[in-house]
Amino acid sequence: MDLFSSLYSFELCSMASGSSGNCYYVGNSEGALLIDAGISIRKISKILNEFGRHLHSIKGILISHDHIDHISSLETLTRKFKIPVYASSGTWAGVMRNRFTKFADSNKHIEVIPGKPFIAGGFRITAFPVSHDANEALGYYIENSHQSISFATDLGFIDETTAYYFKKSNVLILEANYDEEMLANGPYPERLRQRIRCNTGHLSNLQAADCIADVYHEKMSHIFLIHLSKENNNPQRVLETLQKTCNEKGITIGNDTIIMPFERQKRSPLYRIE
């Protein structure tokens, strides 16, 4: 019997989602993981306490990439709380180069190799590469005995490997960073707009919606949209684009499927996924 086969549900909470900081909680009766750690320890602890959990229940941290809004608390989490960090070798090299995280405990780093499953926090996890302007950025496919989550943020496009994991998932957590019209007419200089739009940048609402329409299936119970830009997006635009795209492609998302854009600095409810 696999280690994860006796676990029957997920708990999921977005603690923060956006360029000001990213951190997500995935737990079960045996323990929990954080995906990214780009907010303060104080905020992480406060949110955990709000739903009756504690930092000591965190068995590992999955890091998507080495930008500071995803890694800022790693020094304290590794040195004070002794929590292992799962990341690609390229991502960890970036952590070590960053002046805010260079004293994170390297003994707590566990190298993640895309396509090679590993067990952490009672879950079976498989990483897959995503395209971003960071070294060896990753998405994650997380399984228990009968449910699975795919997580991908900060990516410029959806490739076949990413879509493969999405199609297998019951829960999809996907970046929808910007609305094309808002970005074009917004305050950013053209050079930054080009960085955001490029294949190593961020995913637009339309790209996210096209992907969701292509990978959706009737057993997909939750779709969460993350990393919305403060200046170039809002939840209404995300949902309108998804609805329009699905209509154009003849895709009907079931009434039982929860679709939710996560707020930037306000935690989400704790979702229990059976």
Side-chain angles (χ1 to χ4, degrees), residues 2-266:
D2 288 337
L3 176 62
F4 71 101
S5 63
S6 62
L7 306 179
Y8 58 89
S9 67
F10 285 109
E11 295 179 336
L12 175 64
C13 175
S14 170
M15 298 184 174
S17 180
S19 57
S20 298
N22 295 270
C23 189
Y24 308 88
Y25 167 91
V26 178
N28 56 39
S29 59
E30 302 295 318
L33 302 170
L34 297 180
I35 307 177
D36 289 335
I39 59 175
S40 69
I41 298 295
R42 181 177 181 181
K43 185 172 183 179
I44 293 172
S45 295
K46 179 178 181 293
I47 293 172
L48 289 173
N49 290 338
E50 286 173 355
F51 50 81
R53 305 295 183 271
H54 193 276
L55 263 173
H56 292 303
S57 69
I58 304 299
K59 307 301 183 184
I61 306 163
L62 309 179
I63 298 296
S64 63
H65 64 289
D66 64 357
H67 291 170
I68 193 63
D69 55 320
H70 297 260
I71 64 171
S72 60
S73 292
L74 284 186
E75 180 179 340
T76 303
L77 289 168
T78 57
R79 291 197 174 275
K80 181 177 180 179
F81 293 96
K82 310 297 182 185
I83 301 174
V85 176
Y86 298 84
S88 68
S89 59
T91 291
W92 191 255
V95 171
M96 292 290 95
R97 287 192 299 267
N98 192 302
R99 65 190 179 96
F100 296 106
T101 57
K102 64 182 180 180
F103 295 114
D105 186 355
S106 289
N107 292 321
K108 291 299 178 183
H109 171 229
I110 300 171
E111 182 182 2
V112 173
I113 298 173
K116 184 177 180 180
F118 61 96
I119 302 294
F123 298 108
R124 180 182 175 94
I125 303 164
T126 307
F128 51 90
V130 298
S131 177
H132 192 51
D133 54 1
N135 193 6
E136 297 180 353
L138 297 174
Y140 291 98
Y141 178 70
I142 305 168
E143 303 171 82
N144 65 12
S145 59
H146 63 287
Q147 297 278 352
S148 61
I149 296 172
S150 279
F151 173 94
T153 188
D154 295 62
L155 68 168
F157 69 100
I158 306 291
D159 64 10
E160 291 182 1
T161 300
T162 302
Y164 165 77
Y165 286 107
F166 287 179
K167 289 175 182 177
K168 298 201 303 177
S169 299
N170 305 107
V171 178
L172 180 58
I173 307 173
L174 176 63
E175 176 180 60
N177 180 255
Y178 66 96
D179 174 80
E180 287 278 9
E181 182 180 1
M182 290 180 70
L183 178 64
N185 297 318
Y188 285 4
E190 183 57 30
R191 184 174 180 178
L192 180 53
R193 290 181 190 140
Q194 290 177 2
R195 173 189 173 263
I196 291 168
R197 292 190 189 108
C198 76
N199 280 349
T200 56
H202 289 276
L203 216 62
S204 71
N205 291 348
L206 183 56
Q207 288 173 299
D210 277 334
C211 173
I212 291 166
D214 290 342
V215 304
Y216 175 76
H217 55 84
E218 63 181 8
K219 293 184 179 180
M220 189 173 284
S221 62
H222 296 73
I223 300 169
F224 297 117
L225 291 312
I226 64 173
H227 212 293
L228 276 65
S229 169
K230 179 181 179 181
E231 292 82 8
N232 303 306
N233 210 356
N234 61 59
Q236 182 179 350
R237 290 278 186 132
V238 175
L239 295 175
E240 287 174 351
T241 302
L242 178 57
Q243 184 64 62
K244 180 181 178 182
T245 301
C246 287
N247 288 344
E248 290 173 349
K249 292 192 170 191
I251 302 298
T252 300
I253 295 180
N255 292 331
D256 293 336
T257 300
I258 294 171
I259 305 172
M260 181 63 61
F262 281 151
E263 294 190 48
R264 290 171 51 81
Q265 295 182 314
K266 181 180 178 182

